[in-house]
Amino acid sequence: MIDRRSFVFSSAAFAAIAGMQPALATEQTETAPALPSATLYARDEEAYWAAVRKLFLIPADEVYLNNGTVGSSPHPVLRAIFDAFNQTEQMAQADPEDYPIWGYGPWNEYRDPLAKFVGADRDEIALVRNATEANNYIANGFDMKPGDEVLMSDQEHPGGEQPWQLRAKRYGVVVKKYQIPLPPKSPAEILNRINDAITPHTRIIFVSHITTVTGVVQPVKEIASLARSKGIVSAFDGAHVTGMMSLNLHDMGCDLYTSSPHKWLQAPKGSGFLYARPEVQDRLWNTIATEGWEEPQLKAERFQRIGSSNVPMLAGLRAAIELANNIGMERIEQRHRKLADRMLAEMTKRGAESWTSPDASLRCGIVTVNVPPIKRMDLENWMWQQKKIRIRGGEPSKLRLSTPYYLLPGDIDRFLDAFDEYRRRT
Ligand SMILES: Cc1ncc(COP(=O)(O)O)c(C=O)c1O
């Protein structure tokens, strides 16, 4: 229960921060929908998900199929952010030396739940703002000399590849790539390509766990093991993974990992983390340096010292973890897979060329299809302007369709009907 004063503040803060109408913030009060009970899930799965859908601010008549670019923070996450603003902005911390500044402290109350959620330890996690930032820490900071090679796929996001291209241009490291088949048919097919591309100069394998281009889930555990067997460091860009699939970094056995929980975990924008296994931490230089950069005893904390930043976003990140735990990651992943499988089956039925793997272990919540001669941007604009459906793709005819757990089967039907209509018209 919040009092009237804090509600008024919340509304204004919400409008300012999220750029939305203050009226929407009224939903943040006592009337905000609650997470349905687990017993409803046991009784009626679809009713459960329909109730979960109500936690999201996305209007009921909009279909959002682009969670892969960025998620949408639901009520419990926004509530935690506003509460944190209300509390921290009073500047009434018990200790006169204590200020709400993320960027100068351990922030274990946020690192601990995140570490547990991703199967790691607090001292291996640095809170940063997104995968791009974490990827830059790796590409800029990993100890290498000119001529040393980094091996990546041909499907890296610019936020993963470009930090390495900068390092290559400025310091002479060499970027090598292997090709991911369209689509890959088995994990072995990918592993063989990586194995063939390794040379005596390969120092680090840096690849997406789930690629931005086609949503393929690469066999990261096997890649990490292959790398280790050859004395090569493994680093994965897991921007999409946190909140889409269950994640256990210790079990995976990688050396470095990055992610953007503001995608599939529905955390506030500007939530990211860098994971660094203790054994490689001393091979990583800081990119942003302030007090503590030369203190190895800080462990991963030294990578999250970025100067003054935004604590309430961390409260939102923690709330997003709590929400995912309350729903259950297993359930969430299952839902992502179920919706994506249906989308893939329906699109292939319509003659679309699938770039999503036929092997279920290589796909999860993103479906990618090629639909020539349709021009994806024409379709994207038409879908949004005429049908209130948001999709995304790539030139000239690729569609990338994200299926987050809060979609309802009717949303997929709406997209499919709209797709059929567009094809009939063009
Ligand atoms: C694999 C991958 N890496 C990095 C990014 C960049 O994410 P962010 O903007 O959150 O850093 C994306 C975004 O789609 C991505 O798909």
Side-chain angles (χ1 to χ4, degrees), residues 137-350:
Y137 282 132
I138 296 174
N140 194 57
F142 185 61
D143 226 359
M144 287 168 90
K145 56 182 191 319
D148 283 350
E149 292 174 7
V150 53
L151 176 60
M152 63 178 65
S153 82
D154 63 341
Q155 289 194 15
E156 299 311 318
H157 187 275
E161 175 177 350
Q162 292 311 316
W164 287 107
Q165 296 294 0
L166 186 158
R167 177 95 183 256
K169 191 160 185 182
R170 196 166 176 200
Y171 297 113
V173 303
V174 178
V175 175
K176 290 270 176 81
K177 291 186 185 178
Y178 65 92
Q179 235 182 1
I180 299 179
L182 286 176
K185 298 207 175 42
S186 68
E189 207 179 357
I190 294 176
L191 281 168
N192 286 337
R193 291 188 180 208
I194 294 177
N195 194 43
D196 291 349
I198 290 173
T199 79
H201 303 288
T202 311
R203 295 285 167 267
I204 182 165
I205 296 176
F206 174 93
V207 295
S208 295
H209 185 168
I210 297 179
T211 72
T212 191
V213 178
T214 61
V216 60
V217 181
Q218 300 212 73
V220 282
K221 191 168 177 176
E222 292 78 4
I223 298 172
S225 157
L226 172 68
R228 187 149 309 147
S229 73
K230 293 179 182 272
I232 297 167
V233 162
S234 60
F236 299 124
D237 175 346
H240 289 279
V241 181
T242 315
M244 188 206 281
M245 303 170 68
S246 298
L247 185 58
N248 188 315
L249 294 169
H250 285 167
D251 178 58
M252 188 188 297
C254 62
D255 293 307
L256 297 157
Y257 198 92
T258 68
S259 192
S260 285
H262 49 223
K263 292 180 185 285
W264 294 81
L265 188 61
Q266 320 302 337
K269 315 300 171 277
S271 302
F273 71 84
L274 167 69
Y275 163 85
R277 202 168 150 257
E279 291 80 355
V280 299
Q281 284 179 10
D282 64 350
R283 296 171 70 183
L284 203 58
W285 289 82
N286 271 61
T287 288
I288 292 178
T290 179
E291 188 178 297
W293 75 269
E294 235 183 341
E295 295 176 38
Q297 72 276 15
L298 286 175
K299 311 220 168 108
E301 186 195 320
R302 80 182 152 92
F303 303 113
Q304 70 181 32
R305 296 205 170 189
I306 56 170
S308 309
S309 194
N310 199 336
V311 174
M313 295 304 136
L314 297 181
L317 170 62
R318 184 172 58 189
I321 293 166
E322 201 178 305
L323 177 65
N325 282 333
N326 286 339
I327 298 174
M329 252 336 284
E330 220 175 285
R331 234 177 240 172
I332 288 175
E333 180 175 335
Q334 215 176 50
R335 175 83 173 172
H336 287 151
R337 290 183 181 282
K338 187 173 160 185
L339 294 172
D341 285 357
R342 169 147 186 261
M343 179 69 96
L344 180 61
E346 289 292 341
M347 289 306 283
T348 5
K349 232 191 261 171
R350 284 162 171 77

